[in-house]
Amino acid sequence: MIEKLKFFLGVTRNNLWQFRTRNLFSVTIICLSFLTVGIFLSLVNNLRATARGLAANMSIVFYLDRDLAPEAVEAIRQEISRPAFVEQVGLVSPEQALERFRTNFPDLADVVAGLKGNPFPPSLELRVNARASASQEVAAFVEGLKKRPGVTDVLFNRDWVEKMQGFSRLAGAVGAFLGGILILTSFFIISNVVKLNVFARKNEIEILRMVGGTNLFIRIPFWLEGITLGLLGSLLSLALLFVVIRLFPVYLGASLGALQELLRFRYPDPGQVLALLGGGAATGFIGSATSVSKFLKV
Amino acid sequence: MIELFHIWKQYQKPYWALSDVSLQINDGSFYFITGPSGSGKTTLLKTIFREILPTEGQILINGVNILKVPDHRIYTLRRSMGIVFQDFRLMFHKTVFDNVAVPLQVLGVGRKEIRRRVFATLQKVNLHQKMWELPGRLSYGEQQRVAIARAIVNNPEIILADEPTGNLDPELAFEIVSLFKQINKQGATVIIGSHDRELIRHFGDNILFLQKGKIVGKEAHA
């Protein structure tokens, strides 16, 4: 078995070397296709991570009536603590709110000093489960509480999370579309390169048939050739992706400000690396298998 | 034993490449099939090798009807035969050793055994000293000996040769057929398609004359 595998690998190596120019061409195309997929993947990774971060830090603030009795505040607190997605509820008194304002906006100290009273109402700050933050359930819950007596206003900034998730979905779709087209192109290129290799080795195939070579024996080197081309292409694309991820921020500099954070690429995780390599091998294998079965009637 | 029963082959109407050919070739025979160009020599050899199927008729090799062997099992039949062509059909980007090793690689023989058997076979055809040469650097006679070595390396029971001396000068042709004769003496059935009367007269034990696809004569000198 090992002897046979060694033999097939040897044949594959020789064949790849024999037609190195056209094989190099197909490796380049596969590499560019998978690089495109990889770039979108790392962009989506970043957008998802940003959306997750925003969702994890997202809070909902319920501003309460100033004259509300402590029992009524407690009743509202009890009510908003009930849903399963609520992780934490905290009461912020007007004094605490004023203090927080002073700390967060030291430049406005003069304004605060000029105030005759405390303009901040008491509020209940609620932290929800990151996964549920953008759900309709939370939105409906907030809408319901807006009309509750004692609640004067609600601050709920879920727009950013939704935008981030939308961006990530859009980038994923664009990546899948462009990558899909390019991978399909690579598939046809591999298929045609293998077809050319089959034609170029017609004489050899004829000899193999003549001496009693089985279909499998004749086909295996072509399959291995396709897999190797696919693997080499995707491996090269990963190497280039890592270079792009390292060099892109240097190229951008600080010119884009806040947008730069969104355009930051994140390294693909090990599962994604394996998927890209597996995708390359699969593209190569399918490309060569279809070509071989179509043009190698044995 | 090779038995052909009423073989007819038509490539294009209304011409028959083979017309009602019946033949029996015993094990260990040395046969010449001769006739002018287009007489059906190559078609007959290709039919025995099952490279083409006859339009009608039956072919039995050691009692097995080879026309009933499914396409995907043809390799079993091919492994019991060796074939040599006029144009050698060598892989010119591979060494003499690699060319001769192919039938053994197909059989899954181990590397050491391949080396041993290829060397022994190349010794038989007196090419062992050119084992690592590329066929393109050899003379026509040597190239044909490489093709013969490839045909006999796995000790097939039957060797078919289609005009194996067609590209060679008379001296080399004589040398090549002598080689076939030696192989035949070691037990293999050898069938050669040729129109070289000189060679046939010299070596022909059994001669089959074909004309327009029909057997028009048989001679047996053995």
Side-chain angles (χ1 to χ4, degrees):
Chain A
M1 186 69 190
I2 291 171
E3 197 71 31
K4 268 201 168 171
L5 188 68
K6 271 188 193 168
F7 168 74
F8 284 127
L9 289 175
V11 173
T12 308
R13 187 195 57 215
N14 292 343
N15 292 346
L16 285 171
W17 182 247
Q18 195 189 347
F19 303 114
R20 52 193 173 277
T21 314
R22 70 171 80 121
N23 288 334
L24 191 68
F25 172 71
S26 46
V27 167
T28 311
I29 297 290
I30 297 162
C31 168
L32 292 177
S33 310
F34 277 85
L35 182 62
T36 311
V37 175
I39 284 175
F40 274 94
L41 194 66
S42 28
L43 196 62
V44 168
N45 279 350
N46 184 49
L47 290 172
R48 275 191 190 148
T50 311
R52 263 200 308 275
L54 284 174
N57 292 319
M58 195 183 70
S59 59
I60 306 168
V61 185
F62 294 91
Y63 293 105
L64 306 175
D65 197 330
R66 280 172 184 283
D67 306 324
L68 217 57
E71 298 78 30
V73 172
E74 185 53 31
I76 297 173
R77 202 170 101 98
Q78 292 287 331
E79 195 180 330
I80 64 173
S81 304
R82 223 168 287 144
F85 53 77
V86 175
E87 279 186 343
Q88 198 188 333
V89 180
L91 175 67
V92 180
S93 66
E95 293 72 30
Q96 283 170 323
L98 184 63
E99 192 49 42
R100 213 187 263 179
F101 185 83
R102 276 199 190 109
T103 317
N104 291 342
F105 303 99
D107 296 348
L108 299 175
D110 295 347
V111 180
V112 176
L115 291 172
K116 284 183 180 159
N118 185 347
F120 294 100
S123 62
L124 282 167
E125 278 183 4
L126 178 146
R127 198 173 279 275
V128 297
N129 183 322
R131 278 189 197 163
S133 58
S135 70
Q136 283 308 312
E137 195 187 359
V138 176
F141 167 73
V142 171
E143 277 307 306
L145 278 169
K146 269 183 184 172
K147 291 163 199 157
R148 195 194 187 285
V151 176
T152 55
D153 201 2
V154 179
L155 188 70
F156 179 31
N157 287 328
R158 66 179 217 138
D159 286 7
W160 271 104
V161 179
E162 279 180 341
K163 272 180 192 157
M164 214 48 69
Q165 286 174 338
F167 273 141
S168 131
R169 275 195 297 271
L170 180 71
V174 172
F177 179 72
L178 280 180
I181 288 176
L182 287 167
I183 287 173
L184 206 65
T185 313
S186 326
F187 165 81
F188 283 114
I189 284 170
I190 289 196
S191 175
N192 282 299
V193 163
V194 172
K195 201 193 305 174
L196 283 176
N197 292 353
V198 169
F199 278 123
R201 291 209 293 272
K202 237 179 162 180
N203 177 43
E204 195 175 326
I205 292 164
E206 201 59 46
I207 291 165
L208 287 172
R209 279 181 191 160
M210 206 173 74
V211 298
T214 59
N215 287 352
L216 201 63
F217 186 88
I218 296 172
R219 286 173 184 189
I220 284 176
F222 288 106
W223 291 346
L224 287 178
E225 218 171 287
I227 292 172
T228 313
L229 292 176
L231 260 181
L232 277 178
S234 54
L235 205 64
L236 203 63
S237 77
L238 275 174
L240 280 176
L241 181 65
F242 280 87
V243 172
V244 167
I245 290 172
R246 280 196 80 87
L247 293 185
F248 193 63
V250 179
Y251 170 73
L252 271 189
S255 57
L256 290 176
L259 197 61
Q260 199 162 337
E261 270 306 299
L262 300 181
L263 288 175
R264 199 147 52 93
F265 295 119
R266 255 167 220 267
Y267 288 109
D269 60 47
Q272 291 171 333
V273 168
L274 280 179
L276 284 173
L277 289 175
T283 307
F285 173 71
I286 298 168
S288 74
T290 50
S291 179
V292 167
S293 61
K294 206 170 169 185
F295 295 94
L296 201 69
K297 299 273 182 215
V298 283
Chain B
M1 183 189 285
I2 303 169
E3 295 166 285
L4 284 80
F5 299 100
H6 308 288
I7 299 295
W8 294 78
K9 176 67 189 176
Q10 189 168 46
Y11 291 111
Q12 203 180 357
K13 283 180 180 175
Y15 308 105
W16 289 94
L18 293 175
S19 303
D20 200 19
V21 173
S22 292
L23 183 65
Q24 189 174 313
I25 299 173
N26 293 325
D27 288 343
S29 308
F30 190 82
Y31 246 90
F32 265 111
I33 300 172
T34 189
S37 293
S39 59
K41 300 187 292 292
T42 301
T43 302
L44 186 57
L45 288 171
K46 280 185 175 174
T47 316
I48 296 171
F49 192 60
R50 235 206 82 166
E51 197 174 329
I52 54 170
L53 289 168
T55 312
E56 274 179 46
Q58 300 294 327
I59 301 172
L60 305 185
I61 294 181
N62 295 331
V64 177
N65 186 344
I66 66 162
L67 305 181
K68 289 199 173 152
V69 176
D71 283 351
H72 67 277
R73 301 285 301 171
I74 278 300
Y75 70 90
T76 53
L77 174 76
R78 302 262 166 93
R79 287 176 183 183
S80 67
M81 294 187 188
I83 188 153
V84 179
F85 296 96
Q86 181 178 355
D87 58 0
F88 320 136
R89 298 213 191 160
L90 298 176
M91 294 179 277
F92 284 88
H93 61 285
K94 291 192 173 176
T95 63
V96 168
F97 177 91
D98 289 333
N99 270 278
V100 178
V102 171
L104 300 175
Q105 286 163 344
V106 159
L107 290 171
V109 176
R111 245 195 308 184
K112 275 187 186 167
E113 181 63 9
I114 288 180
R115 226 172 286 162
R116 192 187 67 74
R117 280 163 72 173
V118 169
F119 185 75
T121 310
L122 285 172
Q123 262 182 327
K124 274 187 199 170
V125 299
N126 199 23
L127 271 180
H128 54 290
Q129 282 171 334
K130 299 198 171 176
M131 194 157 73
W132 305 114
E133 297 264 6
L134 289 173
R137 307 187 74 163
L138 306 180
S139 68
Y140 282 153
E142 286 172 328
Q143 287 181 18
Q144 191 58 297
R145 279 193 275 151
V146 176
I148 293 170
R150 185 184 60 200
I152 64 171
V153 72
N154 60 342
N155 301 316
E157 297 163 37
I158 300 163
I159 292 166
L160 306 173
D162 188 16
E163 300 280 7
T165 57
N167 282 335
L168 309 178
D169 60 47
E171 211 170 298
L172 276 175
F174 195 87
E175 189 187 307
I176 293 295
V177 179
S178 303
L179 194 55
F180 278 119
K181 195 77 185 171
Q182 274 175 39
I183 295 162
N184 169 249
K185 277 182 185 158
Q186 285 159 15
T189 305
V190 176
I191 307 170
I192 301 174
S194 173
H195 58 260
D196 189 329
R197 287 182 186 180
E198 193 61 35
L199 279 178
I200 294 166
R201 201 164 49 82
H202 194 275
F203 290 100
D205 295 346
N206 298 286
I207 308 166
L208 185 78
F209 296 94
L210 283 178
Q211 199 162 22
K212 290 184 180 170
K214 284 184 184 157
I215 296 178
V216 291
K218 281 183 193 175
E219 275 181 26
H221 300 287

